[in-house]
Amino acid sequence: MSTVRVPPVLRAAVGGVRELSVPGSTVSEVLEALYSAHPEVRSQLVSDDGELHRFVNIYVNDEDVRLQEWLDTPVGESDTLLILPAMAGGASAAR
Amino acid sequence: MRLPPELADELISHAVADLPNECCGMIGGRHGVATSVHRATNTEASPFMYVMDPRQQMQLMDAIDDAGEDLLAIYHSHTRSAAYPSRTDVELAFFGQTLYLIVSLADRDAPEIRAFRLRRDQPAESAVTEEPVEILEP
């Protein structure tokens, strides 16, 4: 079981806890297990096309998985996975 | 939310300092009163878009948490348009429980500060709810 750190923005969707133990040997497997246990998380992180939203960052032991093997990045028993939706936006569409 | 005047000035100063690009950062506070403004880096360095540096985002969220404060608002600037959320702002508003504060420099002589609750999972007509920003007396 790896540890998933839950930022405040997602805590309501997982019953208010800061950390969860979640099975899975890759980022993808951990996320699927998390979605199964807490379906509301999926709606917050996954785009309409079924893919992880491109403005959601995932870190394994503080390393960005986009710089590793993305969703295939291995996750070990003692690893910590952090889900961090971006703070982003901008006036572009208003112009 | 309530905003001490020196923090309102800090938000405007940050928006001006980062021109021509949009700025971004976080506001910490307690019981709806802002107590700290944390500048962050806009990794897009763009007049039309902001993406907060994710490392800073983590550090600042932890710093606000460690200080016993709440994350009251995520702020950014609109350099040439009104202090009202764009479609992009709503689409990327993952933090539905946090206010999104916008500083507009469209009128450089009269900067505007407004705050909104944004719900990207709601239909357009109910996705944006304005929350009053009260600038406190000095």
Side-chain angles (χ1 to χ4, degrees), chain A residues 18, chain B residues 61-69:
Chain A
R18 296 169 72 103
Chain B
M61 288 171 78
D62 285 345
I64 288 170
D65 214 11
D66 291 347
E69 296 180 331

Side-chain angles (χ1 to χ4, degrees), chain A residues 59 62 82 85 87 89-92, chain B residues 22 50 52 54-55 57 86 89:
Chain A
Y59 299 85
D62 290 338
L82 171 67
M87 292 181 179
S92 53
Chain B
E22 293 193 3
Y50 78 94
M52 193 181 297
R55 296 268 169 200
Q57 182 184 330
S86 68
D89 287 331

Side-chain angles (χ1 to χ4, degrees), chain A residues 27-94:
Chain A
V27 170
S28 179
E29 289 178 11
V30 171
L31 288 177
E32 283 302 327
L34 182 64
Y35 299 156
S36 294
H38 303 283
E40 198 184 324
V41 175
R42 181 194 294 274
S43 64
Q44 293 200 45
L45 301 184
V46 173
S47 301
D48 293 340
D49 60 6
E51 301 291 328
L52 186 69
H53 198 291
R54 69 190 181 95
F55 281 90
V56 173
N57 299 305
I58 307 280
Y59 299 85
V60 173
N61 300 335
D62 290 338
E63 297 297 330
D64 188 344
V65 299
R66 282 195 169 85
L67 304 178
Q68 301 177 65
E69 297 170 56
W70 184 218
L71 297 180
D72 294 328
T73 303
V75 179
E77 290 282 312
S78 58
D79 288 344
T80 298
L81 188 144
L82 171 67
I83 302 167
L84 192 69
M87 292 181 179
S92 53

Side-chain angles (χ1 to χ4, degrees), chain A residues 13-24:
Chain A
V14 299
V17 298
R18 296 169 72 103
E19 291 185 352
L20 290 165
S21 292
V22 181

Side-chain angles (χ1 to χ4, degrees), chain B residues 9 16-17 27-29 35 37-38 49 54 57 60 63 68-69 76-77 80 91 105 110 112 115 126-127 131:
Chain B
D9 289 345
V16 170
I27 301 171
T35 50
V37 168
H38 305 266
M49 179 86 191
Q57 182 184 330
L60 292 177
E69 296 180 331
H76 73 284
S77 59
R80 296 171 74 176
E91 285 173 354
L105 298 180
E112 192 182 18
S126 54
E131 297 275 340

